[in-house]
Amino acid sequence: MNINEKITFTETSPEDRSLAIREALRNAIIDRRLTPGTKLSESEVGSLFDVSRTVARAALQMLAFEGLVKTERNRGAFVSNPSPEEAKQIFASRRLIEPGIVAAAVERITPADIEQFRRQLEEEERYMNERGPAARRAEIKASGDFHLMLASVAGNLILQKFMDELVARSSLVIALYGRSGVSSCGHAEHSAILDALEKGDGRGATQLMIHHIDHIEADLDLQLKQGLGLKDALALT
């Protein structure tokens, strides 16, 4: 972060500062620079970004809502440390919820929706063909967005909220433990699911979704690796 960026950052509203901090911390978590269990103190985050503890706290609360950060009374905030059992529960939950989302989506999806999904898959493919941490982050997000778009098409706001959390937690687990080094949320499988939805084949789309979730989970290797401290992980001076 250079001096000019700092000046621009300090001139933004408190809400925008919190969002920017949340994004920086989220990226560091997804990139494996901040490993599970890393302490994220409000004072250190505030000092590194030159903001008040109130602004830093708001950013940490956003991450806690997503399941990427866990707060503990009298101890503070830490990068979430999903256990193997928690990871299994995340994907077990997705197996229960996403078939219902697919069943609802096949009844509601429109040609305009299909076109939007096609554009989303084009973006996903573009990131797959790129290299580097930024592209990897973008691919993981684009892959998760496919599932969130399905939830939106299904039209159930309660399920959408569940999926917001499940996709965020899945992204953390995938980024930390995915053996392939990419999101593992297969682009070809997304295309096959969309093809089935376009044909009105709800049963086929549901089976493809379950296979897809199985594939994501099968790629996990739940081994923790040594990460960096907060300041070094964010590359701030």
Side-chain angles (χ1 to χ4, degrees):
M1 182 179 292
N2 61 40
I3 294 176
N4 289 333
E5 289 174 330
K6 285 184 179 180
I7 292 174
T8 301
F9 184 70
T10 57
E11 291 176 349
T12 58
S13 69
E15 292 80 6
D16 287 340
R17 295 178 203 174
S18 293
L19 286 169
I21 294 169
R22 172 260 181 196
E23 189 67 16
L25 291 172
R26 188 182 192 279
N27 289 346
I29 292 169
I30 296 299
D31 285 349
R32 309 189 201 199
R33 288 177 279 129
L34 284 173
T35 56
T38 301
K39 183 173 177 59
L40 303 172
S41 74
E42 294 174 6
S43 58
E44 185 177 10
V45 171
S47 176
L48 290 172
F49 287 94
D50 192 23
V51 297
S52 68
R53 291 185 60 167
T54 300
V55 171
R57 184 182 306 120
L60 294 174
Q61 287 172 342
M62 293 179 202
L63 292 167
F65 177 78
E66 292 183 89
L68 300 181
V69 163
K70 185 175 294 185
T71 58
E72 299 181 14
R73 180 182 290 272
N74 299 325
R75 295 194 64 215
F78 300 82
V79 176
S80 291
N81 188 5
S83 67
E85 182 59 30
E86 286 173 322
K88 291 176 184 177
Q89 289 176 5
I90 288 168
F91 289 99
S93 298
R94 291 185 63 168
R95 287 187 193 90
L96 291 173
I97 290 175
E98 294 201 65
I101 287 174
V102 169
V106 75
E107 299 295 331
R108 294 170 52 91
I109 199 164
T110 67
D113 293 327
I114 295 293
E115 180 60 30
Q116 184 178 3
F117 274 106
R118 296 293 180 198
R119 290 195 296 269
Q120 172 68 20
L121 291 179
E122 289 175 3
E123 180 180 3
E124 188 179 309
E125 184 175 20
R126 176 165 60 85
Y127 291 128
M128 285 175 59
N129 294 328
E130 296 178 1
R131 293 293 181 268
R136 182 167 179 277
R137 284 198 305 271
E139 193 217 335
I140 291 174
K141 182 179 184 304
S143 296
D145 284 348
F146 177 88
H147 294 265
L148 294 178
M149 287 170 64
L150 272 180
S152 178
V153 170
N156 187 315
L157 294 178
I158 303 301
L159 285 180
Q160 280 184 252
K161 291 180 180 179
F162 284 153
M163 281 304 299
D164 282 341
E165 179 177 347
L166 284 174
V167 167
R169 289 175 179 265
S170 297
S171 295
L172 172 60
V173 171
I174 290 166
L176 291 171
Y177 310 121
R179 276 192 291 253
S180 64
V182 294
S183 75
S184 304
C185 203
H187 176 76
E189 294 170 6
H190 284 172
S191 295
I193 292 167
L194 184 59
D195 288 343
L197 288 170
E198 188 172 19
K199 295 173 184 175
D201 182 7
R203 182 176 180 181
T206 297
Q207 292 175 339
L208 287 167
M209 178 61 78
I210 293 173
H211 170 76
H212 177 49
I213 296 169
D214 288 343
H215 176 202
I216 301 170
E217 185 176 11
D219 189 61
L220 301 179
D221 180 14
L222 299 174
Q223 299 294 322
L224 295 179
K225 298 181 180 179
Q226 185 65 41
L228 303 175
L230 177 56
K231 182 176 181 179
D232 291 335
L234 295 172
L236 296 176
T237 58

